Amino acid sequence: MHFITRDKSFYKEFFSLLVFIALQNLIVYCVNLADNVMLGRWSEEALSGVALANQIQFLLQMIVSSVGEGVVVLASQYWGKKDLRPIPDVNGVGLKIALGTGLLFTLAGFFLPRQILSLMCSEAPVVAEGVKYMRIVCFTYLLYSASTVLLATMRSVENVHIGMIVSVMALFVNVILNYAFIFGRLGCPRMGVEGAALATLIARACELIVTLVFVLRLDKRLRMKAGELFKSERTISRDYIRVATPVILSGLSWGVAQFIQAAILGHLGSAAVAANSMAMSLFSIVSVVAYGAGSAAAVFVGKLVGSGDQSRLREYVRTLQALFLLIGLITGTLIFVLKDGIISVYNVADETRALARSFMTVLSITVVGSAYQAPCLTGIVRGGGRTSFVFYNDLIFQWGMVITLSLLSAFVWKLSPVWVFFFLKSDQLVKCIVAAFEVNSYRWIRKLTRG
């Protein structure tokens, strides 16, 4: 038994999952970066308004992604057990919940955009740009919800290449149409933020079509039919609700907390909103490996627990933790080195540039903690079956620490936006202590399958 495993099959299996998931996430975030850069060249109000509107979309993404993660936790254990029959039922109940959530967000985004965005920012020009964007982009919410759960189901059976293919297609469609619709190129009208929203809508529609073709026609593992997409046997549905409820509540809590954090920055001025959007765009791209490692670990650990083969689990878990730390150090270095080059692309005021540079410096430090604790908790602990622990841990840190300190620093202590931003990210370092204790306790090993 070694501290770091020498099992070549471990590295082959883990990195094959990680590469595809990270590339898929990278392509998705490149789309967001392209949106930001193009809108930043259009106007700073457009960039800030869309950044606010995207906080609503981020809340939806957190909830729906959590629904998908619940599918992965349960379905990957059945995959490890080599029992495929319950997996379409797991997919069906997840799809129903995701589409119901997407419908609620669509209605809110279409009928109440100004009321929602005004909660986050008081600057009328910024809100006006966000309203124009949201009234169109809200129709992507249902499309995104369906695609996310279907791709999560594919990921749970280690069919990860389809996610990357879909993301590549969406990247090309979105970037080309953004260029055409925002600036009025290729014979298209000059639409600004509404053009960016329309490009996103078309890209999401293409994404869902390609996903459905693969799931229903090309997939050779589950071989689901159209009539099985919403299939949900009662016993499996109960199992899914039990397993996934803490995951979904954790995503909801995280998403609401991010909404409040965006509102805090929004009330500090449009420069802080734009700087945050610029910093988080770079962070999202550079950190894809760190968060991809969590998704890969969830499938890997879930499959191992489901198969009942735990003979080398401790060795694998120690190796994963070492990999997470190494990824964090590399990611932090990249953010620090790339920050000036990324900022130079934007056409924004000097104040916004200075804030963005400071925000990125903060992220270059806190990402080391993010890259360790997030994959440990959402990958190993949640993937191993103890989904409730992650929910309670996030609840305590998000609401007891981050929100409290950031509200005090912004509105009571009247600190600079840089200090507010630091408090918004401070939990990423402190949660490493909890993650290390929990992962190495091995209390998270839970067999979730039936039979």
Side-chain angles (χ1 to χ4, degrees):
M1 187 72 70
H2 304 284
F3 184 81
I4 301 296
T5 186
R6 297 180 183 177
D7 183 358
K8 293 181 180 179
S9 65
F10 163 83
Y11 295 104
K12 181 180 179 181
E13 184 175 350
F14 177 73
F15 281 107
S16 65
L17 286 170
L18 173 57
V19 167
F20 277 106
I21 293 171
L23 283 175
Q24 178 190 350
N25 291 340
L26 175 62
I27 294 163
V28 170
Y29 291 130
C30 280
V31 173
N32 294 338
L33 180 62
D35 282 356
N36 270 10
V37 170
M38 292 184 191
L39 288 168
R41 289 190 172 276
W42 177 263
S43 76
E44 189 167 322
E45 287 79 13
L47 175 62
S48 299
V50 172
L52 290 179
N54 281 338
Q55 290 301 316
I56 310 303
Q57 186 164 321
F58 178 78
L59 175 57
L60 171 71
Q61 288 174 346
M62 290 302 300
I63 298 171
V64 172
S65 295
S66 299
V67 173
E69 288 302 316
V71 170
V72 170
V73 171
L74 186 55
S76 62
Q77 289 206 12
Y78 278 108
W79 172 244
K81 191 182 175 183
K82 295 181 170 56
D83 182 5
L84 305 184
R85 291 171 299 174
I87 296 179
D89 293 286
V90 179
N91 172 81
V93 65
L95 202 53
K96 290 176 182 177
I97 294 172
L99 287 174
T101 305
L103 179 60
L104 289 175
F105 273 76
T106 300
L107 294 173
F110 186 77
F111 291 108
L112 301 170
R114 188 174 302 278
Q115 293 88 328
I116 294 170
L117 296 179
S118 295
L119 294 173
M120 294 187 287
C121 184
S122 57
E123 297 187 23
V126 173
V127 172
E129 292 294 303
V131 168
K132 289 191 289 185
Y133 181 81
M134 185 179 283
R135 279 237 162 89
I136 298 172
V137 86
C138 67
F139 292 104
T140 68
Y141 297 164
L142 281 169
L143 306 176
Y144 169 80
S145 299
S147 297
T148 298
V149 172
L150 290 170
L151 291 173
T153 302
M154 294 296 101
R155 189 166 72 249
S156 69
V157 296
E158 298 181 275
N159 211 340
V160 291
H161 65 283
I162 178 57
M164 190 183 72
I165 293 170
V166 166
S167 298
V168 169
M169 180 272 303
L171 172 64
F172 282 106
V173 172
N174 198 291
V175 170
I176 292 170
L177 293 182
N178 264 341
Y179 174 74
F181 293 154
I182 292 174
F183 302 107
R185 309 294 192 207
L186 306 177
C188 297
R190 185 178 168 93
M191 300 174 65
V193 293
E194 292 170 307
L198 181 59
T200 302
L201 177 59
I202 295 172
R204 290 295 190 199
C206 295
E207 186 177 75
L208 179 58
I209 290 168
V210 173
T211 300
L212 285 170
V213 169
F214 181 86
V215 170
L216 300 177
R217 297 291 183 184
L218 303 177
D219 173 48
K220 303 301 181 185
R221 296 184 178 178
L222 296 179
R223 299 178 184 271
M224 284 195 292
K225 304 299 181 185
E228 295 179 311
L229 287 179
F230 296 97
K231 174 187 176 188
S232 52
E233 193 271 330
R234 185 175 298 177
T235 303
I236 297 299
S237 296
R238 285 200 298 265
D239 288 346
Y240 175 84
I241 296 299
R242 175 174 52 84
V243 170
T245 295
V247 183
I248 297 169
L249 289 176
S250 180
L252 175 62
S253 172
W254 185 267
V256 171
Q258 293 298 309
F259 181 89
I260 294 173
Q261 291 178 29
I264 293 170
L265 288 172
H267 286 285
L268 297 179
S270 61
V273 175
N276 179 59
S277 179
M278 293 160 63
M280 294 310 296
S281 293
L282 174 61
F283 174 81
S284 297
I285 289 175
V286 177
S287 63
V288 291
V289 176
Y291 288 101
S295 297
V299 176
F300 184 86
V301 172
K303 177 185 175 183
L304 201 62
V305 173
S307 69
D309 179 16
Q310 300 176 19
S311 58
R312 307 193 74 178
L313 185 61
R314 290 175 183 266
E315 190 174 308
Y316 290 162
V317 166
R318 287 196 299 268
T319 305
L320 285 171
Q321 291 179 77
L323 290 172
F324 297 158
L325 281 172
L326 178 61
I327 290 168
L329 291 170
I330 295 171
T331 304
T333 303
L334 282 174
I335 292 175
F336 189 80
V337 170
L338 294 174
K339 64 181 189 300
D340 289 327
I342 293 295
I343 291 170
S344 67
V345 176
Y346 289 88
N347 181 26
V348 293
D350 290 341
E351 179 191 1
T352 304
R353 290 177 185 274
L355 278 177
R357 188 174 292 108
S358 298
F359 286 1
M360 290 178 189
T361 301
V362 171
L363 288 173
S364 70
I365 299 168
T366 59
V367 73
V368 180
S370 303
Y372 175 75
Q373 62 85 15
C376 280
L377 294 172
T378 64
I380 296 173
V381 174
R382 181 183 288 169
R386 197 180 184 198
T387 57
S388 59
F389 179 85
V390 181
F391 167 58
Y392 292 125
N393 185 66
D394 285 345
L395 205 63
I396 292 168
F397 278 99
Q398 275 291 329
W399 298 97
M401 176 180 174
V402 171
I403 299 298
T404 302
L405 288 176
S406 55
L407 284 172
L408 288 171
S409 63
F411 303 116
V412 178
W413 302 330
K414 305 292 185 182
L415 299 180
S416 72
V418 178
W419 276 106
V420 176
F421 187 81
F422 171 76
F423 284 122
L424 290 173
K425 306 300 175 186
S426 58
D427 66 316
Q428 300 302 305
L429 298 173
V430 182
K431 284 163 75 172
C432 290
I433 301 171
V434 177
F437 275 108
E438 177 61 22
V439 167
N440 293 295
S441 73
Y442 294 92
R443 294 175 298 184
W444 43 266
I445 301 175
R446 306 286 170 87
K447 195 75 173 286
L448 303 175
T449 56
R450 289 182 177 267

